[in-house]
Amino acid sequence: MSYGLHIREQVDLKDLNTMAIAVKAKQFADIASADQLVRALDIAGERQLETLVLGGGSNLVFAGDFDGLVLHIAIRGRRWEKIEGDSAVLALSAGENWHDAVLYAARSGYRGIENLALIPGTAGAAPVQNIGAYGVELCDTLESVTALDCVSRKVVALSAEECQFAYRDSFFKRNPGRYIILEIRLRLSRSAPLKLGYRDLQDYLGDTGNIELTPLEVAEAVMAVRRRKLPDPDTLPNTGSFFKNPVIDQAQFERLHKCFPDVVFYPLADGVKLAAAWLIDQAGWKGFRNARVGIHNRQALVLINHSHGNGADVLALAEEVRESVQKKFGVGLEVEPGIVGAR
Protein backbone atom coordinates (compact mmCIF):
# COMPACT_ATOMS: atom_id res chain seq x y z
CA MET A 1 0.00 0.00 0.00
CA SER A 2 1.46 3.39 -1.03
CA TYR A 3 -0.75 5.63 1.20
CA GLY A 4 -0.71 8.20 -1.62
CA LEU A 5 3.06 8.54 -1.48
CA HIS A 6 4.65 10.04 -4.60
CA ILE A 7 8.44 9.92 -5.04
CA ARG A 8 10.01 12.31 -7.53
CA GLU A 9 13.44 12.22 -9.14
CA GLN A 10 16.15 14.92 -9.30
CA VAL A 11 14.27 17.61 -7.39
CA ASP A 12 15.77 21.09 -7.08
CA LEU A 13 16.06 22.08 -3.40
CA LYS A 14 17.00 25.75 -3.85
CA ASP A 15 13.56 26.96 -2.72
CA LEU A 16 13.53 24.51 0.21
CA ASN A 17 16.59 25.82 2.05
CA THR A 18 16.84 29.38 3.36
CA MET A 19 20.48 29.70 2.25
CA ALA A 20 19.12 29.27 -1.31
CA ILE A 21 21.85 26.86 -2.34
CA ALA A 22 21.05 25.23 -5.67
CA VAL A 23 21.36 21.48 -5.18
CA LYS A 24 19.31 18.46 -6.19
CA ALA A 25 17.90 15.50 -4.32
CA LYS A 26 18.22 12.17 -6.11
CA GLN A 27 14.71 11.33 -4.85
CA PHE A 28 12.13 13.42 -2.99
CA ALA A 29 8.79 12.85 -1.27
CA ASP A 30 6.31 15.14 0.46
CA ILE A 31 5.22 13.43 3.70
CA ALA A 32 1.69 14.22 4.90
CA SER A 33 1.13 11.42 7.43
CA ALA A 34 2.88 8.90 9.65
CA ASP A 35 1.82 6.10 7.30
CA GLN A 36 3.45 7.86 4.34
CA LEU A 37 6.60 8.33 6.42
CA VAL A 38 6.82 4.63 7.26
CA ARG A 39 6.31 3.71 3.62
CA ALA A 40 8.99 6.17 2.48
CA LEU A 41 11.47 4.76 4.98
CA ASP A 42 10.69 1.22 3.77
CA ILE A 43 11.32 2.28 0.17
CA ALA A 44 14.59 3.95 1.13
CA GLY A 45 15.66 0.73 2.82
CA GLU A 46 14.71 -1.36 -0.22
CA ARG A 47 16.65 0.97 -2.53
CA GLN A 48 19.54 1.37 -0.08
CA LEU A 49 19.14 5.14 -0.04
CA GLU A 50 20.22 7.52 2.69
CA THR A 51 17.35 9.67 3.96
CA LEU A 52 17.21 13.35 4.91
CA VAL A 53 14.33 14.78 6.91
CA LEU A 54 13.61 18.31 5.67
CA GLY A 55 11.27 20.84 7.28
CA GLY A 56 11.68 24.53 6.46
CA GLY A 57 15.34 24.15 5.52
CA SER A 58 16.28 27.02 7.83
CA ASN A 59 19.02 25.33 9.81
CA LEU A 60 21.12 23.46 7.30
CA VAL A 61 23.70 24.06 4.61
CA PHE A 62 23.86 21.86 1.53
CA ALA A 63 27.49 21.16 0.72
CA GLY A 64 26.45 19.38 -2.47
CA ASP A 65 23.70 17.34 -4.10
CA PHE A 66 21.96 14.82 -1.85
CA ASP A 67 22.33 11.30 -3.24
CA GLY A 68 19.38 9.85 -1.37
CA LEU A 69 15.71 10.33 -0.52
CA VAL A 70 14.59 13.66 0.96
CA LEU A 71 11.57 13.35 3.26
CA HIS A 72 9.88 16.74 3.20
CA ILE A 73 7.67 16.85 6.30
CA ALA A 74 4.34 18.42 5.33
CA ILE A 75 2.12 17.11 8.16
CA ARG A 76 -0.29 19.91 9.08
CA GLY A 77 -2.59 20.64 12.01
CA ARG A 78 -2.86 22.45 15.34
CA ARG A 79 -5.27 22.15 18.25
CA TRP A 80 -5.71 23.07 21.89
CA GLU A 81 -5.67 20.31 24.52
CA LYS A 82 -5.88 20.10 28.34
CA ILE A 83 -7.44 23.53 28.81
CA GLU A 84 -7.39 23.89 32.59
CA GLY A 85 -7.84 27.31 34.18
CA ASP A 86 -5.17 29.65 32.82
CA SER A 87 -3.14 26.91 31.13
CA ALA A 88 -3.53 24.87 27.97
CA VAL A 89 -1.48 22.62 25.71
CA LEU A 90 -0.98 23.65 22.09
CA ALA A 91 -0.41 20.62 19.87
CA LEU A 92 1.39 21.36 16.59
CA SER A 93 1.94 18.92 13.74
CA ALA A 94 5.53 18.78 12.55
CA GLY A 95 4.92 20.58 9.26
CA GLU A 96 3.28 23.63 10.84
CA ASN A 97 5.10 26.93 10.27
CA TRP A 98 6.72 27.87 13.59
CA HIS A 99 6.28 31.65 13.37
CA ASP A 100 2.62 31.28 12.42
CA ALA A 101 2.12 29.06 15.46
CA VAL A 102 3.74 31.64 17.75
CA LEU A 103 1.39 34.35 16.51
CA TYR A 104 -1.60 31.99 16.79
CA ALA A 105 -0.80 31.32 20.46
CA ALA A 106 -0.14 34.99 21.21
CA ARG A 107 -3.38 36.13 19.57
CA SER A 108 -5.19 33.53 21.65
CA GLY A 109 -3.79 35.19 24.79
CA TYR A 110 -1.39 32.40 25.75
CA ARG A 111 2.15 33.13 26.93
CA GLY A 112 5.36 31.15 26.73
CA ILE A 113 6.64 31.24 23.14
CA GLU A 114 6.12 34.89 22.13
CA ASN A 115 9.88 35.58 22.45
CA LEU A 116 10.45 32.96 19.73
CA ALA A 117 8.57 34.91 17.06
CA LEU A 118 10.01 35.16 13.55
CA ILE A 119 12.31 32.16 13.94
CA PRO A 120 12.09 30.42 10.56
CA GLY A 121 11.33 26.74 10.18
CA THR A 122 8.72 24.22 11.22
CA ALA A 123 7.36 23.02 14.54
CA GLY A 124 8.89 19.59 14.04
CA ALA A 125 12.38 21.02 13.66
CA ALA A 126 12.12 23.23 16.75
CA PRO A 127 12.96 20.55 19.37
CA VAL A 128 15.94 19.21 17.39
CA GLN A 129 17.80 22.48 17.83
CA ASN A 130 16.01 23.47 21.05
CA ILE A 131 15.44 26.84 19.40
CA GLY A 132 15.84 29.89 21.58
CA ALA A 133 15.86 33.68 21.51
CA TYR A 134 15.57 36.68 23.85
CA GLY A 135 15.84 34.70 27.05
CA VAL A 136 13.49 31.85 26.11
CA GLU A 137 14.12 28.32 24.83
CA LEU A 138 11.65 25.80 23.44
CA CYS A 139 12.36 23.44 26.33
CA ASP A 140 10.82 26.01 28.71
CA THR A 141 7.34 25.11 27.46
CA LEU A 142 7.64 21.77 25.69
CA GLU A 143 5.59 19.08 27.41
CA SER A 144 6.06 16.15 25.03
CA VAL A 145 6.90 15.07 21.50
CA THR A 146 5.22 12.43 19.35
CA ALA A 147 7.68 10.78 16.99
CA LEU A 148 8.21 7.80 14.76
CA ASP A 149 10.81 5.40 16.11
CA CYS A 150 12.71 4.55 12.95
CA VAL A 151 14.00 1.30 14.45
CA SER A 152 10.68 -0.20 15.61
CA ARG A 153 8.54 1.78 13.10
CA LYS A 154 6.21 2.59 16.01
CA VAL A 155 4.81 5.99 16.97
CA VAL A 156 5.99 6.88 20.47
CA ALA A 157 5.57 9.75 22.94
CA LEU A 158 8.69 11.30 24.48
CA SER A 159 8.63 13.54 27.53
CA ALA A 160 10.64 16.75 27.73
CA GLU A 161 13.08 14.94 30.02
CA GLU A 162 13.58 12.17 27.46
CA CYS A 163 14.38 14.80 24.81
CA GLN A 164 17.54 15.64 26.85
CA PHE A 165 17.51 19.33 25.98
CA ALA A 166 20.60 21.51 26.29
CA TYR A 167 21.76 24.77 24.73
CA ARG A 168 20.87 24.43 21.01
CA ASP A 169 20.99 20.70 21.49
CA SER A 170 18.77 17.68 22.13
CA PHE A 171 18.64 13.91 22.00
CA PHE A 172 17.37 14.20 18.40
CA LYS A 173 20.39 16.22 17.32
CA ARG A 174 22.85 13.88 19.05
CA ASN A 175 21.14 10.76 17.63
CA PRO A 176 20.19 11.63 14.06
CA GLY A 177 17.98 9.11 12.33
CA ARG A 178 16.58 7.45 15.46
CA TYR A 179 13.34 9.44 15.68
CA ILE A 180 11.38 11.61 13.25
CA ILE A 181 9.13 14.12 14.99
CA LEU A 182 5.45 14.07 14.04
CA GLU A 183 3.96 16.47 16.59
CA ILE A 184 4.97 18.62 19.55
CA ARG A 185 2.95 19.76 22.57
CA LEU A 186 3.60 23.03 24.37
CA ARG A 187 2.27 23.92 27.82
CA LEU A 188 1.27 27.59 27.68
CA SER A 189 -0.38 29.95 30.17
CA ARG A 190 -2.50 33.09 30.19
CA SER A 191 -0.87 34.33 33.40
CA ALA A 192 2.81 33.29 33.36
CA PRO A 193 5.24 36.21 33.73
CA LEU A 194 6.46 37.65 30.44
CA LYS A 195 10.21 37.41 29.92
CA LEU A 196 11.41 40.90 29.04
CA GLY A 197 14.89 40.89 30.57
CA TYR A 198 16.89 40.51 27.37
CA ARG A 199 18.82 43.74 26.74
CA ASP A 200 17.73 44.34 23.12
CA LEU A 201 14.12 43.76 24.08
CA GLN A 202 14.37 46.11 27.05
CA ASP A 203 15.93 48.81 24.86
CA TYR A 204 13.12 48.51 22.33
CA LEU A 205 10.29 48.51 24.86
CA GLY A 206 11.77 51.32 26.94
CA ASP A 207 10.12 52.23 30.23
CA THR A 208 6.84 50.35 30.12
CA GLY A 209 6.30 51.04 33.83
CA ASN A 210 3.22 49.27 35.08
CA ILE A 211 1.80 48.75 31.60
CA GLU A 212 0.70 45.13 31.22
CA LEU A 213 1.84 43.94 27.83
CA THR A 214 0.01 41.23 25.95
CA PRO A 215 1.89 38.24 24.52
CA LEU A 216 1.08 39.56 21.04
CA GLU A 217 2.65 42.92 21.88
CA VAL A 218 5.78 41.13 23.07
CA ALA A 219 5.85 39.02 19.90
CA GLU A 220 5.56 42.18 17.81
CA ALA A 221 8.42 43.78 19.77
CA VAL A 222 10.57 40.69 19.20
CA MET A 223 9.76 40.82 15.49
CA ALA A 224 10.77 44.49 15.30
CA VAL A 225 14.05 43.84 17.11
CA ARG A 226 14.86 40.83 14.90
CA ARG A 227 14.10 42.77 11.73
CA ARG A 228 16.47 45.54 12.79
CA LYS A 229 19.34 43.09 13.16
CA LEU A 230 18.60 40.06 11.01
CA PRO A 231 18.01 39.80 7.26
CA ASP A 232 14.86 38.24 5.82
CA PRO A 233 15.90 34.94 4.17
CA ASP A 234 13.40 35.60 1.37
CA THR A 235 15.38 38.68 0.29
CA LEU A 236 18.90 37.86 1.52
CA PRO A 237 19.45 34.10 1.89
CA ASN A 238 20.81 32.99 5.28
CA THR A 239 20.34 30.37 8.01
CA GLY A 240 20.12 32.80 10.92
CA SER A 241 22.82 32.44 13.57
CA PHE A 242 25.61 30.43 11.97
CA PHE A 243 27.67 29.88 15.14
CA LYS A 244 26.73 28.92 18.68
CA ASN A 245 27.68 31.21 21.55
CA PRO A 246 30.72 29.40 22.99
CA VAL A 247 30.82 28.38 26.65
CA ILE A 248 34.20 28.45 28.41
CA ASP A 249 35.28 27.73 31.97
CA GLN A 250 35.89 30.43 34.55
CA ALA A 251 39.69 30.22 34.39
CA GLN A 252 39.76 30.71 30.61
CA PHE A 253 37.27 33.55 30.92
CA GLU A 254 39.43 35.37 33.47
CA ARG A 255 42.43 35.19 31.13
CA LEU A 256 40.32 36.38 28.22
CA HIS A 257 38.72 39.20 30.22
CA LYS A 258 42.13 40.44 31.33
CA CYS A 259 43.19 40.86 27.69
CA PHE A 260 39.78 42.02 26.40
CA PRO A 261 37.90 43.87 29.19
CA ASP A 262 35.00 44.71 26.86
CA VAL A 263 34.20 41.10 25.98
CA VAL A 264 30.45 40.45 26.03
CA PHE A 265 29.56 37.53 28.28
CA TYR A 266 26.75 35.85 30.23
CA PRO A 267 27.54 34.06 33.53
CA LEU A 268 26.32 30.48 33.80
CA ALA A 269 26.20 28.03 36.69
CA ASP A 270 28.97 25.93 35.14
CA GLY A 271 30.99 28.46 33.15
CA VAL A 272 30.67 31.60 31.08
CA LYS A 273 28.85 32.01 27.77
CA LEU A 274 30.50 34.40 25.31
CA ALA A 275 28.72 36.38 22.61
CA ALA A 276 29.94 34.84 19.36
CA ALA A 277 28.74 37.92 17.47
CA TRP A 278 31.09 40.14 19.52
CA LEU A 279 34.04 37.82 18.90
CA ILE A 280 33.40 37.76 15.15
CA ASP A 281 32.87 41.53 15.00
CA GLN A 282 36.08 42.22 16.92
CA ALA A 283 37.95 39.87 14.59
CA GLY A 284 36.97 42.23 11.76
CA TRP A 285 34.37 40.17 9.91
CA LYS A 286 31.15 42.13 10.35
CA GLY A 287 29.98 43.40 6.95
CA PHE A 288 32.59 41.39 5.03
CA ARG A 289 31.67 40.22 1.54
CA ASN A 290 33.51 38.30 -1.13
CA ALA A 291 32.15 37.73 -4.63
CA ARG A 292 29.42 35.30 -3.52
CA VAL A 293 28.93 35.12 0.24
CA GLY A 294 29.59 37.28 3.28
CA ILE A 295 28.77 38.36 6.84
CA HIS A 296 25.74 40.54 7.51
CA ASN A 297 26.55 44.18 8.22
CA ARG A 298 24.22 44.41 11.24
CA GLN A 299 24.68 40.95 12.79
CA ALA A 300 28.07 39.26 12.68
CA LEU A 301 26.56 35.85 13.51
CA VAL A 302 24.74 35.69 10.19
CA LEU A 303 26.43 34.39 7.04
CA ILE A 304 24.67 35.56 3.88
CA ASN A 305 24.52 34.18 0.36
CA HIS A 306 24.26 37.45 -1.58
CA SER A 307 25.34 36.30 -5.05
CA HIS A 308 24.33 32.68 -5.71
CA GLY A 309 27.07 31.05 -3.67
CA ASN A 310 27.25 27.30 -3.17
CA GLY A 311 27.84 25.21 -0.08
CA ALA A 312 31.60 25.20 -0.54
CA ASP A 313 31.60 29.02 -0.60
CA VAL A 314 29.63 29.21 2.65
CA LEU A 315 31.70 26.60 4.48
CA ALA A 316 35.01 28.09 3.34
CA LEU A 317 34.03 31.48 4.75
CA ALA A 318 32.81 29.89 7.98
CA GLU A 319 36.18 28.16 8.40
CA GLU A 320 38.04 31.44 7.83
CA VAL A 321 35.94 33.07 10.54
CA ARG A 322 36.54 30.21 12.97
CA GLU A 323 40.30 30.28 12.41
CA SER A 324 40.40 34.05 12.84
CA VAL A 325 38.48 33.98 16.14
CA GLN A 326 40.58 31.08 17.43
CA LYS A 327 43.79 32.93 16.63
CA LYS A 328 42.71 36.25 18.19
CA PHE A 329 40.85 35.02 21.29
CA GLY A 330 41.80 31.36 21.74
CA VAL A 331 38.11 30.49 21.59
CA GLY A 332 36.61 27.86 19.28
CA LEU A 333 33.35 28.47 17.46
CA GLU A 334 30.91 25.66 16.70
CA VAL A 335 28.75 25.80 13.57
CA GLU A 336 25.04 25.80 14.43
CA PRO A 337 23.32 24.57 11.22
CA GLY A 338 23.69 21.00 10.01
CA ILE A 339 25.91 20.30 7.00
CA VAL A 340 24.36 18.00 4.37
CA GLY A 341 25.80 16.35 1.26
CA ALA A 342 29.28 15.88 -0.18
CA ARG A 343 31.99 18.24 1.06
Side-chain angles (χ1 to χ4, degrees), residues 6-300:
H6 175 55
I7 296 180
R8 293 181 280 154
E9 306 278 342
Q10 297 300 314
V11 173
D12 186 354
L13 300 178
K14 183 177 181 180
D15 292 336
L16 292 174
N17 71 97
T18 61
M19 193 60 94
I21 295 173
V23 293
K24 290 186 176 181
K26 182 177 181 179
Q27 298 191 359
F28 179 96
D30 285 309
I31 304 298
S33 69
D35 288 336
Q36 285 188 355
L37 180 57
V38 170
R39 180 56 185 146
L41 290 172
D42 289 343
I43 290 172
E46 293 164 5
R47 300 177 183 178
Q48 297 185 319
L49 293 172
E50 183 182 358
T51 57
L52 170 67
V53 177
L54 183 63
S58 61
N59 198 51
L60 54 79
V61 175
F62 281 101
D65 291 339
F66 185 70
D67 190 30
L69 172 60
V70 168
L71 308 173
H72 182 228
I73 305 300
I75 306 170
R76 301 283 191 265
R78 62 191 184 196
R79 66 188 183 279
W80 291 102
E81 298 180 343
K82 301 180 183 178
I83 301 173
E84 302 166 351
D86 281 352
S87 73
V89 170
L90 177 59
L92 299 170
S93 295
E96 285 289 305
N97 178 276
W98 173 256
H99 174 64
D100 290 348
V102 170
L103 293 184
Y104 173 70
R107 287 173 180 144
S108 300
Y110 283 97
R111 307 174 175 199
I113 56 174
E114 57 279 351
N115 292 44
L116 305 181
L118 216 60
I119 294 179
T122 58
V128 178
Q129 189 73 3
N130 186 23
I131 59 172
Y134 303 104
V136 172
E137 292 183 320
L138 182 77
C139 63
D140 297 336
T141 58
L142 188 132
E143 183 173 88
S144 65
V145 166
T146 299
L148 179 73
D149 184 330
C150 294
V151 176
S152 68
R153 294 292 200 268
K154 293 181 179 179
V155 174
V156 298
L158 301 173
S159 68
E161 184 178 3
E162 290 172 309
C163 294
Q164 299 176 19
F165 289 119
Y167 172 62
R168 301 297 177 273
D169 198 13
S170 69
F171 176 87
F172 308 107
K173 190 172 184 179
R174 294 191 297 273
N175 297 273
R178 173 62 194 275
Y179 294 106
I180 298 176
I181 295 172
L182 303 172
E183 184 177 75
I184 68 173
R185 293 179 181 82
L186 308 173
R187 170 68 66 176
L188 306 178
S189 169
R190 291 185 181 274
S191 58
L194 297 168
K195 295 187 178 180
L196 308 176
Y198 200 88
R199 184 185 306 167
D200 286 351
L201 202 51
Q202 285 183 331
D203 291 344
Y204 178 83
L205 291 169
D207 184 12
T208 56
N210 295 320
I211 298 173
E212 181 65 25
L213 297 173
T214 68
L216 182 57
E217 287 170 334
V218 175
E220 289 170 342
V222 167
M223 291 160 61
V225 171
R226 287 183 69 91
R227 285 173 175 145
R228 284 180 177 180
K229 299 180 67 174
L230 301 172
D232 182 349
D234 289 337
T235 57
L236 188 57
N238 70 90
T239 61
S241 297
F242 203 89
F243 299 100
K244 295 181 181 180
N245 288 325
V247 176
I248 60 176
D249 62 34
Q250 187 65 36
Q252 184 181 1
F253 170 72
E254 289 174 2
R255 293 192 297 269
L256 181 67
H257 191 254
K258 186 175 181 180
C259 297
F260 302 97
D262 296 331
V263 62
V264 178
F265 67 96
Y266 312 95
L268 302 174
D270 56 351
V272 179
K273 183 192 296 183
L274 304 178
W278 185 90
L279 298 172
I280 297 166
D281 187 4
Q282 295 300 305
W285 287 101
K286 192 174 183 179
F288 169 86
R289 287 193 179 198
N290 61 30
R292 305 181 82 178
V293 298
I295 309 292
H296 195 246
N297 60 8
R298 294 197 302 273
Q299 174 51 268

